[in-house]
Amino acid sequence: MGAELAIRNLHVKVEGNEILTGVDLTVRAGEVHSLMGPNGSGKSTLAYILMGHPAYEVDEGEVLLDGENILELEPDERARKGLFLAFQYPTPIPGVSVADFLRTAVSSIRLGPSEEGRTTELIPMREFRKEIRERMTELDIDHSFARRHLNDGFSGGEKKRAEILQMSLLKPRIAVLDETDSGLDIDALRAVADGVNRQLSSELGVLLITHYQRILNYIEPNFVHIMVDGRIVQSGGPELAHELEAKGYDMVKDLV
Ligand SMILES: Nc1ncnc2c1ncn2[C@@H]1O[C@H](COP(=O)(O)OP(=O)(O)OP(=O)(O)O)[C@@H](O)[C@H]1O
Ligand SMILES: [Mg+2]
């Protein structure tokens, strides 16, 4: 069955301030939704709450994945249910290679969590190496990349490619991509968009957070939503992104 992520009347507080003020949004497998909105409108907050970031507090509302409320689940349990989040600002982990990190992450999703006193079971090295090489070739990533330390000294474009590589290995059912296009040159944007497009299927739903219409030329959304002051004030088709590009956020000012 295709996944369905349903966000209902979601209110979220950060350090006492209400940041999300009633978000309603449903993303189904096979759909690409683009979420746009001015700086500070709450887009990343929504992404973080979906993944279970501890600093964010849900005041009201629910988030259902296939009808099950996921707000009580730990981040790794959400990931195991098929939720994937690519962060706007990925964290460097010096000392851990890309390959080691991905092998651990993918093993924990596929083979189950590590139990108390026992380290995570790992996918056999040979099998994983073959798989990661195939994915890197598809994404036009140099194979030496796998030996580098995760996000340590990575360029903006390399970080984004690493995330799309991770997504291609984890094969999520719902992916939330927060500004996957920011800081990318034209070739990298195309490579990242191709990487996402290659994964699009009737089994995957995507929530693509972005500021610019440009990436939507490559990853075509079915729906575009505009968030202002912590809620979605307008939804439409791809034409809404073009209209926004032409008119700016003045066009939704009166809707707030
Ligand atoms: N940990 C935090 N502590 C205090 N305020 C926070 C925290 N996280 C987010 N905020 C505030 O919440 C609001 C929404 O931030 P958020 O990062 O969700 O916006 P955004 O829409 O992703 O913006 P951008 O387009 O700039 O990425 C901002 O005013 C921000 O300062
Ligand atoms: Mg953001």
Side-chain angles (χ1 to χ4, degrees):
M1 188 194 71
E4 182 189 87
L5 179 75
I7 301 162
R8 303 231 174 102
N9 189 32
L10 191 65
H11 291 249
V12 169
K13 269 192 187 152
V14 184
E15 297 184 354
N17 303 314
E18 193 171 52
I19 307 292
L20 297 185
T21 55
V23 176
D24 286 283
L25 179 65
T26 301
V27 178
R28 296 185 181 85
E31 297 174 349
V32 176
H33 293 250
S34 169
L35 181 63
M36 306 179 83
N39 292 133
S41 54
K43 305 180 298 297
S44 294
T45 301
L46 178 62
Y48 282 125
I49 205 82
L50 290 177
M51 278 331 274
H53 192 296
Y56 299 78
E57 198 185 310
V58 174
D59 241 12
E60 201 184 324
E62 50 188 10
V63 178
L64 306 171
L65 182 60
D66 303 330
E68 181 192 2
N69 192 344
I70 60 163
L71 291 175
E72 299 300 318
L73 301 181
E74 294 298 322
D76 65 317
E77 294 175 295
R78 301 181 194 201
R80 228 168 275 122
K81 290 191 182 294
L83 207 53
F84 174 83
L85 172 67
F87 292 100
Q88 185 175 1
Y89 304 108
T91 328
I93 312 184
V96 176
S97 74
V98 172
D100 286 344
F101 170 79
L102 290 177
R103 186 172 169 222
T104 307
V106 174
S107 300
S108 127
I109 299 284
R110 287 194 201 153
L111 306 176
S114 56
E115 282 161 27
E116 194 95 17
R118 193 174 65 87
T119 47
T120 317
E121 209 183 316
L122 289 174
I123 299 166
M125 193 45 153
R126 185 189 294 239
E127 185 185 321
F128 188 69
R129 200 177 285 141
K130 180 166 176 285
E131 192 176 343
I132 193 173
R133 283 200 184 131
E134 284 172 9
R135 295 291 95 76
M136 285 195 292
T137 303
E138 280 172 12
L139 292 168
D140 199 18
I141 294 172
D142 193 281
H143 287 194
S144 64
F145 192 70
R147 290 193 296 274
R148 288 186 59 187
H149 287 180
L150 188 71
N151 290 332
D152 194 15
F154 278 19
S155 78
E158 286 166 344
K159 285 181 187 171
K160 302 294 171 177
R161 280 183 209 228
E163 288 188 340
I164 300 305
L165 176 62
Q166 185 180 359
M167 178 175 159
S168 76
L169 290 163
L170 292 176
K171 299 189 179 70
R173 300 159 70 226
I174 300 282
V176 180
L177 307 176
D178 193 0
E179 295 197 27
T180 293
D181 51 341
S182 72
L184 296 186
D185 68 36
I186 299 195
D187 289 345
L189 179 66
R190 218 178 268 251
V192 163
D194 282 350
V196 173
N197 279 330
R198 200 171 289 116
Q199 294 173 55
L200 289 182
S201 75
S202 58
E203 303 294 306
L204 173 67
V206 175
L207 180 61
L208 184 68
I209 300 174
T210 182
H211 277 292
Y212 302 105
Q213 197 278 328
R214 199 178 54 156
I215 193 170
L216 305 181
N217 290 332
Y218 301 106
I219 305 172
E220 212 182 312
N222 307 101
F223 305 95
V224 174
H225 310 276
I226 304 175
M227 181 177 272
V228 181
D229 289 350
R231 63 189 185 87
I232 290 168
V233 296
Q234 197 173 353
S235 297
E239 73 289 345
L240 188 56
H242 288 280
E243 200 185 339
L244 199 60
E245 186 102 325
K247 297 183 184 162
Y249 288 112
D250 272 355
M251 71 179 257
V252 290
K253 231 171 41 191
D254 300 338
L255 299 172
V256 179

